[in-house]
Amino acid sequence: RENQGRGFYKHIEDVNDQHIAQARKDVGNYKQDAEANSKDFERKMKDYVRNVQTNPSLKQPVAPPLGPIPKVPDAVKVGDDLSGYIDFLHPWGNVVLNPLALMLMFFLLVVATIVTLRAQDIG
């Protein structure tokens, strides 16, 4: 199964924790990029102010646009239909083995009942 043996609810919790960690990392990278662009623009503006007096035809630097906002993935929710996680059949069973196991259990119960009743008659 995809939950890697952790159980369904624990798996959903771990997936949501991974999404949160990735979103925090993406926001941190976005912030670093925005700060770097801002510092670069500030440096260009200082150079422009310093050089505009000697060269009036210089073009004023344009502020860099902000990059796309990092996408925060939606939280994974527990669905209403959990039938895929419920299994009443033994994983080793099949069409032939399941009825044979039931018949064996039935005959063992019958034999155990007969032995118990005989032991009560003898004693």
Side-chain angles (χ1 to χ4, degrees):
R1 294 193 191 252
E2 71 176 35
N3 65 17
Q4 299 163 352
R6 293 178 288 194
F8 183 63
Y9 290 106
K10 183 66 175 164
H11 173 68
I12 295 293
E13 185 178 294
D14 289 346
V15 167
N16 285 334
D17 288 344
Q18 290 172 357
H19 287 175
I20 290 169
Q22 183 63 40
R24 285 183 178 152
K25 181 181 172 188
D26 291 345
V27 167
N29 291 342
Y30 180 78
K31 180 182 175 188
Q32 286 177 348
D33 291 343
E35 287 174 352
N37 288 341
S38 176
K39 286 182 182 179
D40 186 45
F41 176 69
E42 186 178 326
R43 182 188 52 77
K44 287 179 183 177
M45 280 303 290
K46 285 181 182 177
D47 290 345
Y48 170 76
V49 169
R50 189 175 335 128
N51 295 330
V52 77
Q53 295 171 352
T54 59
N55 186 1
S57 64
L58 222 95
K59 290 187 178 179
Q60 183 176 356
V62 178
L66 287 175
I69 297 173
K71 183 183 180 306
V72 177
D74 295 331
V76 177
K77 296 188 186 332
V78 177
D80 291 334
D81 182 21
L82 299 179
S83 63
Y85 290 91
I86 300 171
D87 192 9
F88 295 107
L89 300 177
H90 195 279
W92 296 345
N94 58 33
V95 174
V96 176
L97 191 59
N98 288 339
L100 287 177
L102 289 173
M103 285 191 287
L104 177 68
M105 287 188 284
F106 174 74
F107 286 122
L108 286 176
L109 180 63
V110 169
V111 169
T113 304
I114 292 172
V115 168
T116 304
L117 290 175
R118 285 287 178 175
Q120 286 179 353
D121 287 343
I122 294 174

